[in-house]
Amino acid sequence: MNLSLSAWSILFMAWLTSMVAIIGSLFFSEVMLFPPCVMCWYQRICMYPLGIILLMALFPLDVKVTRYATPLVGIGLFFALYQNLLYYGILPESVQPCSQGVSCTSDYINWFGFITIQLLSLIAFIVIALLLYLFKKKVNA
Amino acid sequence: MKKQTLIYCSLALFAVLYFGGSWLYKNADHSVSQEKNSALVRPYAPTIGKENAKTVIVEFFDPACETCRAFYPFVKNIMKAHPDKIKLVMRHAPFHTDSYYVVQMLEAAKYQDKYFQTLETLYKYQDKWTINHKVTIAPIWGFLHEAGLDIEKLRDDMKRSEVDERIKQDIADTKTLGITKTPEFIVNGKPLKRFGYKELEELIASEL
């Protein structure tokens, strides 16, 4: 029983992480009125369902949740990583015409000189990926 | 704690954080701080309206921005409705690629006292030289004389280093003030809480 509680807690933490990311991103766009760039939308498409399916998997504990959550985390992680590589100039951003959209490499926030929204998203996906990995290990053990 | 209770508490906490945070953020003072005040108005910035009016509207705009064009007559009408009460300060935020060049024309027009005529002519034909947010300079020369400008003089004045310095200062000030979109209206140091015609009208009314 101890085992399942611990697996449950790990999943709970993953859900909490996704909720922080969801609430945070909504706060940035709806309250602080930062227009989300297209990359942010791709990451939201992956993050928002996680807030729901991870919660569903908590009651009752559904150990198969990783099967459904992993693709979302993977795709989200891919976009988050890609955007951060663009942001840090490791990948070159192609020249774009000036459009009404928002550049995905602009800074809305820059806390302590390095924490950007792009980085927060990447951290959230990494944390959820790690927690799901731990969860899977726990369940299989 | 029971698992269910834990979840409900977390959900409630998230709701409180979000809505409480929104409330706090919306009610926080977003006025331009004292140390950033100098970035708001520069002595060289063109103005219309009464010189020492109580209500000062600072508008950061891009001549290639369609919304700026749409707001221009709107603001003018508000000023007409309250003569001698409002001063409008024009600041440049050339965010579109090649807008810089158009702003150079505007700055150069000041040497002929034709700033606002030039701006209005640029706005009038905006759809001819800005298509899908892409600025093309060539068509502008075809109608710019309508502003009553001496085009040869304008071309010379555009090369003045003063023009360049002023535009660079404008751009630096948008960074200082955190302006990322145009038009941005700041009325007596207070930015719009939410963008819109009605919101701007209300903000101006509250500062009259």
Side-chain angles (χ1 to χ4, degrees):
Chain A
M1 205 59 232
N2 191 24
L3 185 85
S4 94
L5 181 75
S6 154
W8 190 91
S9 314
I10 293 170
L11 199 59
F12 178 65
M13 284 192 285
W15 174 72
L16 280 183
T17 312
S18 72
M19 284 304 285
V20 169
I22 293 168
I23 297 289
S25 70
L26 285 174
F27 194 87
F28 285 135
S29 67
E30 303 309 307
V31 179
M32 298 177 84
L33 303 176
F34 299 152
C37 87
V38 65
M39 281 290 173
C40 179
W41 278 113
Y42 295 155
Q43 286 159 64
R44 285 168 174 223
I45 287 166
C46 298
M47 185 61 85
Y48 289 13
L50 283 172
I52 299 164
I53 62 170
L54 294 180
L55 176 63
M56 291 294 105
L58 288 168
F59 289 109
L61 183 66
D62 181 359
V63 294
K64 282 173 90 179
V65 66
T66 43
R67 183 179 153 80
Y68 307 103
T70 308
L72 289 170
V73 178
I75 297 166
L77 199 57
F78 169 78
F79 283 115
L81 197 64
Y82 179 71
Q83 192 185 0
N84 275 273
L85 291 177
L86 285 182
Y87 178 80
Y88 292 108
I90 299 165
L91 283 177
E93 193 176 16
S94 58
V95 182
Q96 306 168 339
C98 193
S99 68
Q100 220 160 14
V102 181
S103 159
C104 288
T105 51
S106 62
D107 270 348
Y108 286 123
I109 62 161
N110 200 331
W111 295 332
F112 314 114
F114 72 98
I115 298 179
T116 57
I117 297 177
Q118 293 91 322
L119 188 65
L120 287 174
S121 168
L122 181 63
I123 291 169
F125 277 114
I126 290 175
V127 168
I128 295 173
L130 284 175
L131 286 169
L132 285 181
Y133 173 73
L134 288 177
F135 175 79
K136 182 104 175 123
K137 258 181 74 171
K138 199 96 193 174
V139 176
N140 287 349
Chain B
M1 204 193 298
K2 267 179 72 184
K3 288 173 182 174
Q4 230 134 341
T5 327
L6 191 62
I7 297 282
Y8 285 130
C9 288
S10 315
L11 283 171
L13 182 70
F14 283 125
V16 167
L17 279 177
Y18 183 80
F19 292 106
S22 314
W23 188 86
L24 284 177
Y25 186 83
K26 284 199 177 114
N27 286 286
D29 186 9
H30 295 290
S31 301
V32 176
S33 63
Q34 209 66 42
E35 68 260 31
K36 288 182 179 171
N37 234 337
S38 62
L40 211 48
V41 180
R42 297 281 173 192
Y44 61 79
T47 62
I48 37 172
K50 201 171 174 225
E51 193 39 51
N52 48 5
K54 190 178 142 234
T55 311
V56 180
I57 307 172
V58 180
E59 177 186 354
F60 280 87
F61 76 100
D62 183 333
C65 153
E66 281 177 45
T67 317
C68 301
R69 184 187 65 173
F71 266 82
Y72 185 76
F74 181 78
V75 174
K76 265 194 126 176
N77 280 338
I78 295 179
M79 293 184 70
K80 232 182 258 168
H82 306 279
D84 296 340
K85 280 196 178 155
I86 304 173
K87 180 166 96 166
L88 177 65
V89 183
M90 308 300 282
R91 301 297 309 276
H92 303 122
F95 292 151
H96 288 81
T97 316
D98 290 336
S99 268
Y100 193 94
Y101 198 78
V102 185
V103 173
Q104 274 184 320
M105 295 175 179
L106 280 167
E107 276 292 337
K110 288 198 319 203
Y111 298 102
Q112 301 180 42
D113 277 328
K114 291 277 191 306
Y115 180 86
F116 285 97
Q117 291 90 324
T118 308
L119 179 60
E120 279 165 27
T121 311
L122 284 169
Y123 275 159
K124 186 177 163 193
Y125 294 102
Q126 195 191 52
D127 56 344
K128 302 277 186 289
W129 58 274
T130 305
I131 295 157
N132 283 331
H133 295 272
K134 224 179 149 0
V135 175
T136 40
I137 301 299
I140 298 178
W141 298 113
F143 55 77
L144 206 56
H145 60 88
E146 283 186 27
L149 287 164
D150 175 345
I151 301 292
E152 280 314 302
K153 179 168 164 44
L154 187 86
R155 282 184 191 267
D156 285 341
D157 287 337
M158 280 171 73
K159 292 179 200 130
R160 289 188 193 220
S161 62
E162 192 180 46
V163 165
D164 225 31
E165 281 157 24
R166 286 172 174 177
I167 304 172
K168 293 225 165 80
Q169 183 65 60
D170 278 358
I171 294 171
D173 288 343
T174 63
K175 298 223 166 76
T176 309
L177 297 165
I179 285 159
T180 54
K181 288 166 286 184
T182 54
E184 179 80 49
F185 293 97
I186 300 158
V187 183
N188 287 353
K190 296 190 184 105
L192 280 175
K193 279 190 180 162
R194 204 173 177 96
F195 189 76
Y197 289 108
K198 206 175 121 247
E199 288 79 358
L200 177 62
E201 204 168 9
E202 284 167 0
L203 179 62
I204 295 172
S206 72
E207 291 296 322
L208 278 172

